[in-house]
Amino acid sequence: MSTPKRTQPYRLDVKKEETVQICICGQTDSPPLCDCSHPDHTDPFEFTPEKDETLTICGCGRSDALPWCDGSHTEC
Ligand code: FES
């Protein structure tokens, strides 16, 4: 069972040089982060910020810049 799609992005506060694993398979129970529910052939997207920041991660699955939100969720 996959995680239901949202109509808004996730906002995730991250710390400088703290690597996060972002789910790209849709199987996680703790979106937007990976909980290792993915199939063997689908690794999470790893990101290590260069500074403390808030990430904007796609929750709708329609972004052309996955895993980041590109504003596509606002299109009808
Ligand atoms: S939430 Fe998917 S493009 Fe913004």
Side-chain angles (χ1 to χ4, degrees):
M1 184 170 142
S2 64
T3 303
K5 298 292 185 194
R6 295 163 42 106
T7 57
Q8 294 292 317
Y10 295 97
R11 308 277 187 206
L12 182 67
D13 294 329
V14 293
K15 299 286 186 197
K16 176 182 177 181
E17 298 180 2
E18 181 181 275
T19 299
V20 292
Q21 293 187 323
I22 300 169
C23 175
I24 57 172
C25 75
Q27 300 294 313
T28 185
D29 286 331
S30 56
L33 298 177
C34 172
D35 69 356
C36 296
S37 296
H38 51 270
D40 289 342
H41 60 280
T42 308
D43 291 330
F45 180 86
E46 285 194 350
F47 179 73
T48 306
E50 295 179 357
K51 61 182 184 197
D52 292 359
E53 61 182 302
T54 301
L55 305 179
T56 305
I57 300 168
C58 178
C60 75
R62 295 189 301 184
S63 174
D64 286 331
L66 290 172
W68 314 123
C69 170
D70 70 354
S72 295
H73 62 272
T74 61
E75 299 170 4
C76 294

